[in-house]
Amino acid sequence: MPGNNGDDLTRLRIALTVFFALDGFVFAGWVVRIPAIKHQTGASASALGLALLGVSAGAVITMMLTGRLCRRYGSHRVTVVCGILLSLSVALPPLTHSAVALGAVLLIFGAAYGGINVAFNSAAVDLVRALQRPIMPSFHAAFSLGGMIGAGAGGLVAGALSPTQHLFGLTVIGLLVTAVAGRALLRLRPPVPPESSAREKTAPRRLDTRTRGIVITFGLIALCTAYGEGALADWSALHLEQDLDATPGAAAVGYSCFALAMTVGRLTGTRLLERLGRTRTLVTGGAIAAAGMLLGALAPSLWAAILGFVITGLGLANLFPVAVERAGTLAGPEGVAIASTLGYGGMLLGPPAIGFMADWFSLPTALTSVAALAATAAVIGLVTRRAGER
């Protein structure tokens, strides 16, 4: 294909995969040290909760700006800059000694996290269009694997290293990885779609009213998916322990199985998309996740509930990557930014929404909202099939 070298595309795919994995690794490393930093700052639970909103606020504010920066300077450059900022800013939280200071530095960390997510997803969308293969889930699988490694490594070193030492170590690792992968990324020009793709008019559109509406619809699929991820991360263990009398260890297994199922689902996502196509993958995945979450929320036994979580993870695995890719294919980096912002909003909305509904009704009933939104994602995927499969 004119303008694209097969070896360059392979190198680009490797470099982007490394950045996705690094993002998951660094973020998970920070998450496992939150309890220690809470103790260090002396923050109450409510003060810590407000401080942690700094990550969310920084990410959401920056995501929309990053779409425009990618359009102007290129997603490769923005990815590298945000990789440096992410690596540097993760060392800041253990240097704080109050909830206010922690919230301020988490704004910076969240801005870098949101920025790099938009930038490397935009670069990945360009690569998907050039290769004409649905490889987006493989990048998100790298993020999931990086997160699992980061969390596991963080747990292992937590007893030996202080938060300052651990997170400074993440800074060093992040800067080294960014230097190597970033050098490769900056040498590679963004790929151009093949001539056949250009004839089919798959080039990103400008964000007019109609296009923005379709992109927002794809973003709602991302929101429905991320709502489930956030809800299960915060509430699955409590559900198993409180409602099914599981031990704390067995309760922790539930979310681990969900996360592992999502990773496996994303690793096999490209093959699944090649066989089913994007619309059927969205519809089938949403339906499977809805059924799995009904089982997970309402099952009368521990292992049946865990099986439900596994089914939910497999169903949700590829919804977010496909939604972001479809938004990016339609509207470029700004489309990725809109879909990512809505998706991140869903992850923020999930845990508190489940908490309120659990107070009003019960936790099992509240968790069925995950099934309802997964089914909603399936319906949206069906309704938008023509917009996504041009």
Side-chain angles (χ1 to χ4, degrees), residues 219-247:
L220 291 176
I221 297 176
L223 184 153
C224 292
T225 307
Y227 176 97
E229 290 185 56
L232 281 166
D234 283 18
W235 292 102
S236 59
L238 182 63
H239 167 56
L240 296 180
E241 192 172 342
Q242 171 185 290
D243 300 313
L244 298 176
D245 298 321
T247 64

Side-chain angles (χ1 to χ4, degrees), residues 322-382:
V322 171
V324 169
E325 188 232 314
R326 289 171 73 174
T329 298
L330 191 64
E334 288 159 317
V336 172
I338 291 172
S340 298
T341 302
L342 284 169
Y344 200 78
M347 188 167 285
L348 297 177
L349 176 66
I354 295 292
F356 284 121
M357 286 187 283
D359 284 340
W360 295 333
F361 307 107
S362 68
L363 183 52
T365 301
L367 287 172
T368 62
S369 65
V370 176
L373 287 186
T376 301
V379 172
I380 295 173
L382 184 62

Side-chain angles (χ1 to χ4, degrees), residues 73 143 148 364 373:
Y73 298 107
F143 173 84
M148 293 174 70
L373 287 186

Side-chain angles (χ1 to χ4, degrees), residues 236-275:
S236 59
L238 182 63
H239 167 56
L240 296 180
E241 192 172 342
Q242 171 185 290
D243 300 313
L244 298 176
D245 298 321
T247 64
V253 167
Y255 179 71
S256 298
C257 289
F258 168 78
L260 182 60
M262 283 203 72
T263 303
V264 171
R266 286 172 170 175
L267 287 170
T268 58
T270 296
R271 182 170 296 180
L272 185 69
L273 284 163
E274 287 176 334
R275 294 193 63 176

Side-chain angles (χ1 to χ4, degrees), residues 72-263:
R72 181 169 182 177
Y73 298 107
S75 56
H76 293 189
R77 288 182 183 177
V78 178
T79 296
V80 175
V81 171
C82 288
I84 294 170
L85 292 176
L86 183 75
S87 301
L88 291 173
S89 60
V90 76
L92 298 177
L95 304 180
T96 62
H97 297 282
S98 70
V100 173
L102 178 62
V105 301
L106 289 181
L107 272 172
I108 302 170
F109 180 66
Y113 178 74
I116 196 171
N117 272 269
V118 171
F120 59 38
N121 271 297
S122 298
V125 168
D126 291 340
L127 183 57
V128 168
R129 291 177 62 237
L131 290 173
Q132 293 189 300
R133 287 194 66 212
I135 61 170
M136 198 70 167
S138 68
F139 294 119
H140 288 259
F143 173 84
S144 297
L145 285 171
M148 293 174 70
I149 294 169
L156 289 174
V157 305
L161 299 179
S162 68
T164 303
Q165 293 169 327
H166 177 201
L167 297 186
F168 181 74
L170 292 184
T171 292
V172 174
I173 293 170
L175 290 176
L176 289 174
V177 171
T178 300
V180 175
R183 185 179 180 187
L185 191 60
L186 291 175
R187 285 180 172 179
L188 298 167
R189 292 190 301 175
V192 295
E195 291 180 4
S196 60
S197 178
R199 285 197 299 268
E200 292 165 10
K201 299 181 181 179
T202 60
R205 305 173 187 170
R206 285 290 175 181
L207 271 177
D208 56 24
T209 303
R210 180 177 181 277
T211 302
R212 185 183 295 274
I214 298 172
V215 167
I216 289 173
T217 305
F218 293 151
L220 291 176
I221 297 176
L223 184 153
C224 292
T225 307
Y227 176 97
E229 290 185 56
L232 281 166
D234 283 18
W235 292 102
S236 59
L238 182 63
H239 167 56
L240 296 180
E241 192 172 342
Q242 171 185 290
D243 300 313
L244 298 176
D245 298 321
T247 64
V253 167
Y255 179 71
S256 298
C257 289
F258 168 78
L260 182 60
M262 283 203 72
T263 303

